[in-house]
Amino acid sequence: MTMDAAAPHCLLGMFDEDYTLDDYKGAEPRWCVGCGDSAILAAVQRLCRDEQLAPEKTVFVSGIGCSSRFPHYMHTYGFHGLHGRALPVAEGIKLQRPDLHVFVITGDGDCCSIGTAHWIHAIRYNMDMTVLVLDNGIYGLTKNQASPTSPLGLKSNTTPQGTVLEPINPISVTLGIRNASFVAQAVDWIPELVHDIVDAAFQHKGLSFVRVLQRCPEYLDGRYDAWVKDPGKMLLLNHENGIQTSPALASVYKNHEIHDPADRNRAREIASTSDPIPVGVLYRNQSIPCYENPRGPDRLYTPDVVKGVLEKELDRFTIQAVGGGGD
Amino acid sequence: MSTQILDETRQPAEDVTNADSSASRADKSRSASRDKDAVILEEHIVEVISDSGEGAQRCGQSFGSIAARMGNGIWTVEIIPAEIQPPARSIAGASGIRIRLASRRVTNGGDEADLIVAFNEQVLLKRVRDNELKPGCIVLIENKWRHDQDAGIAASYAATIDKLIADGHGVHEIPMEEECLRYVDNAKRGKNMFVLGMLSAIYSLDLEAARNQVAFAFAKKSSAVVESNIKLLNAGHEWALENLDMCFRIPPSDVHEPQIVVNGNVSLGLGLMASGMEICAMYPITPATSASHYLSDVFHNVGGAVHQAEDEIAACAFAIGASYAGKCAATITSGPGFALKQETIGLAVMAEIPLVVINVQRGGPSTGLPTKAEQGDLLFACFGGHGDTPNVVMAAADIEDCFYSVIAARKIAETFNTVVVVLTDASLASAQQPYPRPKIDTDWLAPPINQNAVPEGAKPYDWDATTGLANRFIPGQPNGMHCLTGLAHDRMSRVAYEPDINEEGMRSRSLKLAALQKTLKTPLVYGGDEGDMLIVGWGSTKGAIEEAVDRLRADGHKVSSLHLKFLQPMASGIGDVLKRFKRVLTVESNWSDSLDDTIIDEENRRYSELAWLLRARYLVDIDCWSEVRGQPLKPGVIATAIREKLHQKGK
């Protein structure tokens, strides 16, 4: 076959291989009706399609909890591991395979309780991955226990008289870690912004931390009703270096702030407000170095190269007996 | 006199190897004349004991290396206090090293010391208390304490010396500090090299080789430091020739091929690189960490990385992530960290991700004896997971075996897609022994990461009905997309709670151990093929057990030993071996109840760990003898224990 004949075929092949939304759909989701996770799944599938991510080059890593079922519902590689341990697994994957797109799906219990140490240190490592914390403020899978982000006074199976501890603020905590390089917040009831924020997170080189406030119709029904019903109780963060709200959305959500994501102090102030709920990119800093372990120069370590290094190492420790055998 | 000699030897560091220098000729003729009078020995056990920071270990390691270079078999054991800077002149602060050198290959640290160099009487008392001095032990001790301004110290020193002499030890009080101060301002730095010089003279070691060793040991330091240390080495050598009336010579063994001298942890690190693993995730824990120190220094040269994780769990999860995404990775830890990793190990077994977990055991439970040796994690390594977690367990028997075990572990982990636990312990971690330089084979390396498309219709867990083995799809392989899960799953990796599917998964994971077991060779019996008693051991005790067997057989006892490398699964044929002996005894370094205790009887006795395993599998009435003194087992102690057992009737 000549080159001329091959070229159009090749181009045709490219179009054939365009990924559609269906290409990213895995098992049928089994979340409860009205669960906020579904909107997030749809936004992420859209992102994969828009970015044309090769499914085999994409890995979704999760822990345990309702949200951590997420990888099963994607038709990519998925790693549904242990409660709290999604981040270190994802870090191992990324260090081994920088060529893979790594997403981490975790929840408020998974990330902010049992996996807290990994969360703090993942921010420190700042490896290139997108982390979505699907924060519904309750343990759903184990059936209604207070989580570290449950609102004060929430009655649950483990707190029948109501919680007595103030919730943790995942955004504030993350911003408190020096190496934080991308911190954003979204809400499941504005899907367009979930998509835009996840897209901005994906584009960011480094660890992007996105907290998605998410409704649990089963155990925390009505938690966000006031905000869902009153767009004025939302604070949309706009900036050319963050996300830009579309005119249609802006006409509904009129409470805006021009916030430069480079402004870390203002980001901290915004993060500490829970009413109105801020939505958008709070902080972004492209200059934070990614954790790059000294794996040596990026070259091919062929068996011969490895053997050469090993022989040199053995030389360091080798002794040749000088008096051997003579007596 | 000695000053004059030293003036002659003062020369630039780079010239120290010049064998034609007049100083060397002088040394050689001097040594040659002494050589004739030297007492020829089969072996000797030498210890150098000091306060922390006085360099006893560097001195001993150098001494061992020089002896090894001259063809001796050696084994060094570090004596490590728990604190980094314990109080000076304290019994608890005794820091040092034992060097056993012989005219044959040495496989363990031996029994009591023949010669001890002590920097003060308190650190020496630690060794006296631990019964580490052979009757008539030669003691070389720093004499400056005799006239210490503190009357208490002077009295303590004098009393100790008197007691040692009364006990029959050969005490030599030596003005180490006084001599050193002739060459350096601060004797605390450098006294160890003076001692090295003395030892070189006492054991008729080649001074030129000693100088080279010192230059090597201080290679990273300035030439002034090297020179100053060589000066002290020469001074110690000279002083011993002039003032000590003892000279030994331990003829070389008949080893001809090149040897490498490393400790067990460095051996593990070399093995890790030779196995083709590229990622080792860890969290600092004694006594495992030094393996990572070594790796951190060199791993990048083969494209590898040591990741210091935020905790033990993260280290294991990180290694699992790295394994999942490509080549098998390792995590290295010790008991407490191994406990924390158990849930993640279970995940790797369940999801069939290859993983090598190295546990450099220390004394337990809890924080236990962090710097001391114990073999307390065998049953834990076999049965530590919740639910059924069939993972492979193997143990390294000596320094050389640390190297090859890791290579084998990587291969098994990747062939069987499971977890391989490699057990070593604190006594191997810092012990040094020369072993034949490995002939690096690129077949040991992991194959490149498979990125080929998975055939249409292939399943991520396509368990073979006979072996339980399935392929593994690695991210990047087209058509291989699936969601791996720690939940019960079917062949498509879909979450499945159905009874049949759960049993199929359990069966397949378990069958893989049997499939591995079919490839294992029956270990060889050491000694005779049958007899009155078989000693069974595992891990670091091999050398000491076999030496005990040698001694007992020399006395006419029909005792043999069997050493197990694979603890889970165990090779075929072991049951037959056990049955060829009238009695079977395990010798281990972990706890077992003694029937001498009033309330202990056959119904409540807790056996040592290997004995439990063997009794359960082979239905043989296996006895055990064990010790948990935090020290490597001694051949003499083992031989005595076996003798007692042989004399007991019926047990």
Side-chain angles (χ1 to χ4, degrees):
Chain A
M1 193 184 274
T2 67
M3 287 296 286
D4 289 351
H9 178 77
C10 186
L11 281 173
L12 212 60
M14 268 175 64
F15 288 117
D16 279 351
E17 283 165 19
D18 260 7
Y19 299 112
T20 65
L21 273 181
D22 280 346
D23 289 322
Y24 299 99
K25 287 183 181 163
E28 198 59 37
R30 294 205 195 163
W31 288 312
C32 305
V33 175
C35 175
D37 287 344
S38 304
I40 301 160
L41 177 67
V44 169
Q45 286 169 339
R46 227 182 100 198
L47 168 84
C48 292
R49 193 268 322 266
D50 293 351
E51 295 294 331
Q52 287 292 294
L53 303 185
E56 71 270 16
K57 289 278 198 181
T58 307
V59 186
F60 280 81
V61 184
S62 67
I64 294 293
C66 291
S67 57
S68 288
R69 288 298 181 99
F70 199 105
H72 288 280
Y73 309 145
M74 297 293 301
H75 188 56
T76 61
Y77 278 88
F79 192 112
H80 178 207
L82 296 177
H83 198 21
R85 318 300 169 204
L87 284 164
V89 168
E91 290 153 11
I93 293 171
K94 194 67 191 178
L95 187 68
Q96 177 78 274
R97 296 286 301 277
D99 60 311
L100 299 175
H101 307 293
V102 178
F103 292 82
V104 174
I105 309 292
T106 175
D108 41 314
D110 204 51
C111 176
C112 307
S113 197
I114 194 169
T116 309
H118 310 316
W119 162 32
I120 305 296
H121 287 272
I123 302 298
R124 243 182 101 224
Y125 300 139
N126 193 38
M127 296 178 82
D128 190 16
M129 58 178 72
T130 306
V131 180
L132 308 183
V133 182
L134 277 48
D135 182 357
N136 61 0
I138 194 82
Y139 284 87
L141 197 68
T142 50
K143 312 229 177 345
N144 194 24
Q145 297 85 23
S147 96
T149 61
S150 291
L152 183 64
L154 178 79
K155 290 183 174 165
S156 74
N157 282 338
T158 46
T159 56
Q161 272 78 49
T163 63
V164 295
L165 296 173
E166 282 285 352
I168 211 167
N169 181 333
I171 294 292
S172 294
V173 172
T174 305
L175 283 167
I177 301 160
R178 196 181 172 87
N179 271 10
S181 69
F182 183 102
V183 184
Q185 181 158 273
V187 294
D188 77 56
W189 58 93
I190 316 180
E192 184 183 325
L193 287 184
V194 176
H195 172 268
D196 291 354
I197 290 168
V198 171
D199 185 43
F202 177 76
Q203 307 300 340
H204 174 73
K205 167 89 173 141
L207 189 144
S208 35
F209 182 89
V210 182
R211 179 197 192 196
V212 190
L213 295 179
Q214 177 237 316
R215 292 166 294 175
C216 175
E218 191 67 24
Y219 298 117
L220 215 50
D221 197 23
R223 161 89 170 94
Y224 291 113
D225 275 3
W227 288 270
V228 174
K229 285 174 187 152
D230 179 4
K233 281 169 75 70
M234 305 300 297
L235 173 65
L236 268 53
L237 306 175
N238 277 310
H239 196 271
E240 55 187 0
N241 292 329
I243 54 162
Q244 307 264 39
T245 316
S246 69
L249 208 60
S251 66
V252 179
Y253 294 94
K254 298 203 169 73
N255 191 8
H256 293 226
E257 175 175 333
I258 305 296
H259 167 64
D260 182 352
D263 186 347
R264 189 163 183 145
N265 286 335
R266 180 61 195 144
R268 285 184 176 139
E269 285 170 16
I270 295 169
S272 64
T273 60
S274 50
D275 189 17
I277 294 175
V279 176
V281 179
L282 283 91
Y283 184 65
R284 193 170 76 152
N285 183 347
Q286 290 283 17
S287 66
I288 306 275
C290 289
Y291 178 77
E292 278 159 7
N293 226 313
R295 285 197 72 176
D298 190 15
R299 62 187 174 104
L300 205 55
Y301 293 92
T302 61
D304 284 341
V305 170
V306 174
K307 186 172 192 296
V309 170
L310 276 161
E311 296 291 359
K312 258 172 93 176
E313 276 308 301
L314 292 178
D315 286 346
R316 275 175 66 188
F317 302 113
T318 297
I319 54 164
Q320 178 73 59
V322 289
D327 296 70
Chain B
M1 165 75 195
S2 33
T3 319
Q4 194 191 336
I5 296 274
L6 274 153
D7 284 340
E8 282 177 27
T9 57
R10 187 180 297 143
Q11 49 189 302
E14 57 267 27
D15 278 349
V16 295
T17 54
N18 186 348
D20 288 335
S21 74
S22 57
S24 296
R25 280 198 302 275
D27 295 337
K28 275 190 178 156
S29 61
R30 194 183 288 270
S31 298
S33 66
R34 275 172 63 97
D35 238 28
K36 288 173 204 149
D37 313 324
V39 178
I40 307 294
L41 299 170
E42 279 275 305
E43 70 154 271
H44 238 205
I45 296 173
V46 179
E47 289 190 355
V48 184
I49 313 289
S50 70
D51 286 342
S52 231
E54 289 186 308
Q57 280 152 8
R58 174 167 265 174
C59 167
Q61 276 157 2
S62 299
F63 177 61
S65 293
I66 301 160
R69 239 172 243 284
M70 297 198 63
N72 287 138
I74 62 152
W75 183 282
T76 67
V77 184
E78 290 189 1
I79 297 153
I80 310 166
E83 292 88 12
I84 293 167
Q85 289 207 325
R89 288 182 43 81
S90 68
I91 288 177
S95 168
I97 189 165
R98 157 178 288 204
I99 312 97
R100 186 182 187 194
L101 54 165
S103 317
R104 56 170 199 293
R105 185 176 153 83
V106 183
T107 62
N108 64 86
D111 298 322
E112 292 79 29
D114 296 283
L115 183 148
I116 295 190
V117 184
F119 287 33
N120 66 61
E121 87 287 353
Q122 292 297 316
V123 294
L124 177 62
L125 281 173
K126 166 72 176 154
R127 304 307 284 166
V128 173
R129 260 184 210 185
D130 290 348
N131 298 316
E132 297 288 3
L133 278 63
K134 201 167 273 182
C137 180
I138 301 162
V139 175
L140 307 175
I141 186 164
E142 163 69 73
N143 75 355
K144 71 165 183 166
W145 310 106
R146 186 171 280 288
H147 303 294
D148 201 276
Q149 289 173 337
D150 183 328
I153 290 176
S156 154
Y157 175 84
T160 304
I161 300 298
D162 291 347
K163 177 80 169 59
L164 287 167
I165 292 169
D167 289 345
H169 297 301
V171 180
H172 302 258
E173 297 178 73
I174 297 178
M176 296 183 201
E177 182 135 331
E178 191 185 324
E179 288 296 319
C180 288
L181 285 174
R182 296 167 63 169
Y183 311 103
V184 290
D185 296 336
N186 178 4
K188 198 168 165 72
R189 290 171 163 266
K191 203 186 273 186
N192 60 340
M193 289 298 115
F194 183 86
V195 170
L196 180 61
M198 285 200 316
L199 291 173
S200 301
I202 293 169
Y203 288 96
S204 316
L205 298 184
D206 182 32
L207 187 56
E208 202 57 44
R211 288 189 189 120
N212 290 340
Q213 181 61 38
V214 172
F216 175 78
F218 291 94
K220 286 183 180 169
K221 299 286 170 74
S222 68
S223 61
V225 172
V226 175
E227 217 177 309
S228 154
N229 279 293
I230 286 177
K231 225 190 280 179
L232 289 161
L233 172 86
N234 289 333
H237 191 264
E238 184 63 23
W239 193 90
L241 293 185
E242 296 294 324
N243 297 287
L244 288 178
D245 187 23
M246 66 176 106
C247 182
F248 307 120
R249 207 169 71 81
I250 298 168
S253 65
D254 54 1
V255 172
H256 291 285
E257 72 260 45
Q259 309 276 308
I260 65 166
V261 184
V262 291
N263 66 31
N265 276 357
V266 172
S267 200
L268 286 173
L270 286 166
L272 236 136
M273 288 195 289
S275 77
M277 286 193 275
E278 289 170 357
I279 288 174
C280 176
M282 50 71 71
Y283 180 82
I285 187 166
T286 304
T289 317
S290 66
S292 308
H293 295 175
Y294 171 65
L295 267 182
S296 302
D297 242 4
V298 297
F299 213 6
H300 56 275
N301 293 328
V302 293
V306 172
H307 171 67
Q308 180 178 328
E310 59 272 22
D311 60 37
E312 294 279 2
I313 298 170
C316 198
F318 191 101
I320 288 173
S323 277
Y324 160 77
K327 294 179 184 176
C328 179
T331 183
I332 178 162
T333 188
S334 186
F338 188 59
L340 286 165
K341 292 180 198 295
Q342 284 305 315
E343 192 196 12
T344 33
I345 289 173
L347 169 68
V349 172
M350 180 63 148
E352 306 192 41
I353 306 168
L355 177 71
V356 172
V357 182
I358 300 168
N359 176 355
V360 184
Q361 299 165 98
R362 63 192 227 182
S366 189
T367 313
L369 298 171
T371 60
K372 309 276 185 196
E374 192 178 294
Q375 300 178 302
D377 297 346
L378 173 56
L379 292 173
F380 185 34
C382 293
F383 308 117
H386 62 279
D388 187 45
T389 49
N391 56 265
V392 178
V393 180
M394 53 197 291
D398 55 29
I399 311 293
E400 180 177 23
D401 207 22
C402 288
F403 177 82
Y404 292 104
S405 293
V406 180
I407 295 166
R410 200 281 303 159
K411 197 145 203 163
I412 293 167
E414 229 148 20
T415 306
F416 294 88
N417 290 334
T418 193
V419 177
V420 180
V421 177
V422 178
L423 297 173
T424 76
D425 63 47
S427 67
L428 292 179
S430 58
Q432 289 200 329
Q433 177 201 28
Y435 63 84
R437 176 178 168 134
K439 294 178 176 60
I440 301 294
D441 184 343
T442 50
D443 283 350
W444 295 341
L445 301 174
I449 299 172
N450 185 1
Q451 293 288 275
N452 295 325
V454 169
E456 279 313 326
K459 297 170 184 166
Y461 293 99
D462 200 9
W463 295 304
D464 181 84
T466 308
T467 62
L469 285 165
N471 287 320
R472 181 165 84 96
F473 300 164
I474 296 171
Q477 284 191 270
N479 304 335
M481 288 83 76
H482 66 285
C483 183
L484 169 152
T485 175
L487 284 160
H489 48 268
D490 63 12
R491 287 170 180 252
M492 295 302 291
S493 194
R494 289 177 300 224
V495 176
Y497 299 135
E498 289 81 353
D500 288 351
I501 294 175
N502 190 46
E503 288 207 322
E504 184 183 36
M506 288 271 199
R507 174 171 172 272
S508 302
R509 292 189 295 273
S510 186
L511 280 177
K512 292 195 292 182
L513 281 196
L516 167 63
Q517 193 263 357
K518 293 288 177 199
T519 70
L520 302 179
K521 288 182 188 141
T522 311
L524 297 173
V525 177
Y526 185 82
D529 272 346
E530 53 184 43
D532 293 333
M533 187 178 280
L534 178 74
I535 310 302
V536 193
W538 64 281
S540 65
T541 52
K542 184 182 186 195
I545 290 175
E546 291 183 352
E547 189 169 333
V549 166
D550 285 342
R551 293 185 197 177
L552 291 159
R553 291 184 74 82
D555 290 349
H557 294 292
K558 288 180 181 141
V559 173
S560 302
S561 67
L562 186 71
H563 211 74
L564 304 185
K565 182 177 185 63
F566 283 88
L567 285 314
Q568 182 164 284
M570 284 188 194
S572 310
I574 291 172
D576 292 337
V577 174
L578 302 182
K579 282 165 194 142
R580 292 205 298 266
F581 290 83
K582 289 181 188 152
R583 289 158 67 191
V584 181
L585 176 79
T586 70
V587 168
E588 303 174 65
S589 190
N590 54 48
W591 180 255
S592 61
D593 286 335
S594 163
L595 289 168
D596 295 338
D597 276 335
T598 322
I599 61 167
I600 298 298
D601 57 37
E602 291 293 353
E603 288 188 63
N604 63 16
R605 182 183 188 196
R606 295 173 68 241
Y607 289 84
S608 57
E609 302 196 10
L610 180 60
W612 277 126
L613 278 182
L614 295 176
R615 289 173 69 89
R617 177 163 300 284
Y618 299 107
L619 302 179
V620 172
D621 187 12
I622 291 166
D623 192 7
C624 58
W625 176 87
S626 70
E627 224 184 45
V628 283
R629 304 179 62 78
Q631 299 154 352
L633 294 185
K634 290 185 161 68
V637 174
I638 296 172
T640 303
I642 295 172
R643 275 198 184 91
E644 280 174 19
K645 292 279 184 187
L646 285 168
H647 288 133
Q648 283 168 17
K649 286 281 172 202
K651 281 240 57 73

